[in-house]
Amino acid sequence: MLTTAVATIIAAAGGTASAEVVSSEPSSSPSFNGPVYAVAYADDTVYVGGDFTLASVNGRNSPRTRLAAFDARTGALKDWRPTADANVRALAVADGVVYATGDFDMINGESRDAVAGINSTDGRVTALRHTVFGQPNAIAAGHGRIYLGGRIAAVDGVPRANLAAFDATTGNLDPAWRPATDDTVNALAVSSDRIYVGGSFHKTNDVSSSLRLTAVHPVTGELDRRFQPKPVSQVFALAADDDGVYAALGGQGGRAVSYNRDGQTRWTRVFDGDAQAITVLDGTIYVGGHFDKACTTTNNGARGICTDGSVARGKLAAVDRDGNLLGWAPQANGVAGTRQLAASARLGSVSAVGDFTLVSGLIRKRYVEFHGVTPPLERTAAGHAPAYRQASPGHVAAYNFDSTVADGTYDDGSGHGHLLRAVTRNGGTPRMVPHGRGHAIGFPAKCAGGDCPRLVLRAGDATGLNPGTGPLRYGAGVLLSPTETGRGENILQKGYSTGGGQYKLQVDGLSGKPSCGMSDVAGTVHVVHSRTTVADGRWHSLECRRIGPALTILVDGRTESTTTIPEALSVDTSHPITIGGKGVGRNNDQFHGTLDDVWVQIG
């Protein structure tokens, strides 16, 4: 059985994670020669704003004056080049229009004071044109309106107390929406029935104790008195859904806080510097700021120093919906760090902007994007393994057990020729089980004693199955009933904990919870455990994913847990890959259920 070594999960109270996490390896993207303050997605395009004059792709500089757009999939710049004469601080995109706010007076040489609408295709300004007395910080679109927040005294000479709204169709100032705060608004977030407002204020609509984070009606601006969160320090950023809101806070050390619809705190994560940005993608909450560490408890002291221990999280971190700090740790540099985050469910991507120049050891000047979450339309239904997993170009081995060759070995669908051969003992023969459009393979039933049937499928010891220190993914479709669990059951294993290292997927104990394990040449084993059983008589897809210092286990496409492993951990072993057990000896960790679509991907 696998034994847990030094890698641990830093977690809050209980609960099951329910989402994938983007890769910690940045994708290809442009760099910028000045600060980037704002980022927004629209379909396959990323829009950014800031105080830059050049965008660089693959070493080639292109003029872009404080606004730019590029392909989110490839990083290629688009020919969208409006110009702003001063900082762009926030962006929102809706119905083919990019809405910008900031310090500017002109867009494309035309008068646009602090707020503008820009056609998302040709870069021309729309009719939205107002005179804003003050400093806007935030902009959001929804409910047929464009919402503006900041330190604002008036719009077109009409008094407004830090908040205003415009009709998205006509561009006119909304005369009815006029909530008021007594100090600066830093952040806005739109939900189906609320506009969440965050900042350094102490009152909203002159109601005492409605401080720093409140909710108002999207049409009337009326304060929602049911929502009473009372954060301990000013709010810099917000992300909302219909269950509540996530807030990034400053103060003595930063905080990421999850509030339900009544404003009750669901969890808090503490950092050693301000949390300045927050976004949500598929159940994972991504946090950015100018912190360097995440505290292991909610306690911190002078200058935000974590008093009960910490883990490195340079400017970026991820938390699951239950408040568990995940192992995602790209490690960005800089002082100001991450200023804003955005997520795209369509692309399964997260973007960060700010003042960093290095992320995960790679040059990423002031913009970085991370991919890796499976878009919803591409997912298999939860609780069901796919009938057939098509081998991808990155697969080095793939087995769907639907085809054999003349000598009875099982074909490798990856095209790399790593055929599987059955190795048996005491009559442990494979059973072909109908599944989907093809077959799965059944292993021997549970048995006590030394004469129990044993069955292992084994491929050769080809070096092409060794990942070294590189990215690695492997997994299988699993059908296991509660009566088929045991002390430990191997699904897939390459190598051993000594002699070159190993990677492994197995089901642990009578509870039937899967785990992923990796070890280095020294034999130290690092394990990440699922908190969800798969021994329920239904098909489940399992995946182990190693990217940099993170080892993650996924069940049915949802991240269950992530733990930290050494980036230098290398698997380079001459031992063969085995499926269903580590051998046919007495203590072979025999698998007793049914498997399908077993695969390994390197790179």
Side-chain angles (χ1 to χ4, degrees):
M1 296 181 67
L2 295 173
T3 55
T4 305
V6 295
T8 57
I9 297 171
I10 308 300
T16 300
S18 59
E20 295 181 68
V21 181
V22 293
S23 169
S24 61
E25 293 293 320
S27 64
S28 177
S29 59
S31 289
F32 297 88
N33 70 337
V36 182
Y37 299 124
V39 58
Y41 281 94
D43 296 327
D44 293 347
T45 301
V46 175
Y47 296 90
V48 295
D51 192 22
F52 51 84
T53 57
L54 291 175
S56 177
V57 178
N58 297 323
R60 180 179 178 181
N61 291 331
S62 298
R64 293 292 188 274
T65 308
R66 301 183 179 90
L67 289 159
F70 48 92
D71 190 299
R73 297 181 186 274
T74 67
L77 274 177
K78 295 200 169 187
D79 191 24
W80 186 82
R81 53 181 75 198
T83 62
D85 67 340
N87 294 344
V88 175
R89 296 195 176 275
L91 296 172
V93 186
D95 301 323
V97 179
V98 179
Y99 295 97
T101 192
D103 305 334
F104 51 83
D105 296 312
M106 310 279 285
I107 300 288
N108 296 342
E110 298 185 41
S111 176
R112 292 294 186 275
D113 180 21
V115 62
I118 307 166
N119 186 286
S120 64
T121 303
D122 61 23
R124 296 180 180 178
V125 291
T126 69
L128 179 69
R129 179 177 176 177
H130 296 277
T131 300
V132 179
F133 185 78
Q135 170 63 66
N137 297 320
I139 195 165
H143 303 280
R145 292 166 176 78
I146 309 305
Y147 300 96
L148 195 67
R151 191 170 184 85
I152 301 168
V155 176
D156 298 334
V158 179
R160 285 292 185 270
N162 305 313
L163 291 161
F166 309 98
D167 186 290
T169 301
T170 65
N172 295 334
L173 178 68
D174 186 336
W177 197 82
R178 47 188 311 163
T181 66
D182 65 347
D183 207 339
T184 304
V185 171
N186 296 323
L188 299 169
V190 178
S191 74
S192 61
D193 63 345
R194 288 171 166 174
I195 306 301
Y196 290 97
V197 181
S200 58
F201 52 86
H202 296 84
K203 293 181 181 180
T204 301
N205 291 359
D206 206 31
V207 175
S208 297
S209 300
S210 57
L211 74 167
R212 303 188 184 102
L213 177 57
T214 52
V216 298
H217 194 276
V219 177
T220 67
E222 180 183 358
L223 179 68
D224 191 331
R225 295 180 182 238
R226 296 170 298 171
F227 182 70
Q228 298 183 356
K230 298 181 176 60
V232 297
S233 55
Q234 73 168 310
V235 175
F236 285 119
L238 296 171
D241 57 28
D242 287 339
D243 295 326
V245 65
Y246 304 93
L249 279 60
Q252 183 171 288
R255 283 168 166 76
V257 187
S258 172
Y259 299 101
N260 68 13
R261 284 184 56 83
D262 293 329
Q264 296 175 336
T265 300
R266 294 182 287 201
W267 53 256
T268 299
R269 298 300 323 185
V270 177
F271 304 89
D272 69 345
D274 288 347
Q276 301 172 152
I278 198 162
T279 194
V280 181
L281 176 62
D282 193 46
T284 297
I285 298 87
Y286 296 88
V287 186
H290 64 75
F291 50 81
D292 295 306
K293 297 177 181 178
C295 303
T296 55
T297 71
T298 56
N299 298 324
N300 62 359
R303 298 183 299 279
I305 295 174
C306 302
T307 56
D308 297 333
S310 63
V311 292
R313 292 294 185 273
K315 321 306 180 192
L316 292 162
V319 183
D320 72 19
R321 282 195 182 274
D322 298 314
N324 301 301
L325 183 67
L326 300 177
W328 187 75
Q331 299 298 103
N333 68 344
V335 177
T338 300
R339 294 183 182 272
Q340 197 174 110
L341 290 163
S344 169
R346 170 190 172 94
L347 302 174
S349 302
V350 170
S351 286
V353 298
D355 290 280
F356 48 79
T357 57
L358 290 172
V359 181
S360 292
L362 302 175
I363 295 175
R364 291 294 184 272
K365 294 183 178 180
R366 304 170 185 94
Y367 174 84
V368 65
E369 186 172 25
F370 305 95
H371 296 293
V373 172
T374 306
L377 293 178
E378 298 178 14
R379 291 188 190 142
T380 303
H384 297 81
Y388 174 69
R389 183 184 179 94
Q390 181 68 38
S392 79
H395 284 166
V396 293
Y399 308 103
N400 67 358
F401 306 111
D402 293 337
S403 60
T404 61
V405 293
D407 62 357
T409 55
Y410 296 94
D411 195 15
D412 174 10
S414 75
H416 288 81
H418 301 307
L419 303 183
L420 285 176
R421 185 180 302 275
V423 181
T424 66
R425 187 174 181 180
N426 301 332
T429 56
R431 295 178 294 109
M432 302 313 296
V433 179
H435 181 216
R437 298 189 299 271
H439 293 88
I441 187 164
F443 288 81
K446 285 180 68 173
C447 171
D451 296 330
C452 293
R454 308 291 184 204
L455 168 64
V456 172
L457 305 181
R458 179 180 294 164
D461 59 357
T463 58
L465 298 176
N466 290 328
T469 60
L472 170 68
R473 298 171 65 180
Y474 56 98
V478 176
L479 176 65
L480 193 67
S481 75
T483 62
E484 292 174 326
T485 60
R487 187 172 65 95
E489 302 186 20
N490 271 22
I491 295 172
L492 180 153
Q493 179 171 327
K494 175 72 164 79
Y496 296 93
S497 57
T498 57
Q502 74 171 183
Y503 55 88
K504 186 175 186 178
L505 168 62
Q506 74 174 38
V507 177
D508 299 325
L510 298 178
S511 62
K513 296 178 180 179
S515 65
C516 303
M518 294 190 72
S519 68
D520 54 19
V521 295
T524 303
V525 181
H526 304 268
V527 184
V528 60
H529 298 274
S530 168
R531 290 166 286 179
T532 301
T533 181
V534 295
D536 56 6
R538 297 184 299 160
W539 278 102
H540 295 277
S541 60
L542 307 182
E543 180 181 342
C544 302
R545 185 180 296 176
R546 182 261 176 95
I547 300 176
L551 178 62
T552 302
I553 184 167
L554 299 91
V555 176
D556 298 323
R558 302 186 306 268
T559 295
E560 284 290 316
S561 291
T562 297
T563 193
T564 302
I565 64 174
E567 284 197 80
L569 187 152
S570 178
V571 178
D572 188 7
T573 174
S574 61
H575 294 292
I577 193 169
T578 58
I579 295 171
K582 61 186 179 185
V584 293
R586 182 182 180 94
N587 298 312
N588 75 325
D589 293 338
Q590 180 68 60
F591 184 76
H592 298 300
T594 305
L595 297 178
D596 202 356
D597 306 317
V598 182
W599 56 279
V600 178
Q601 179 175 320
I602 295 175

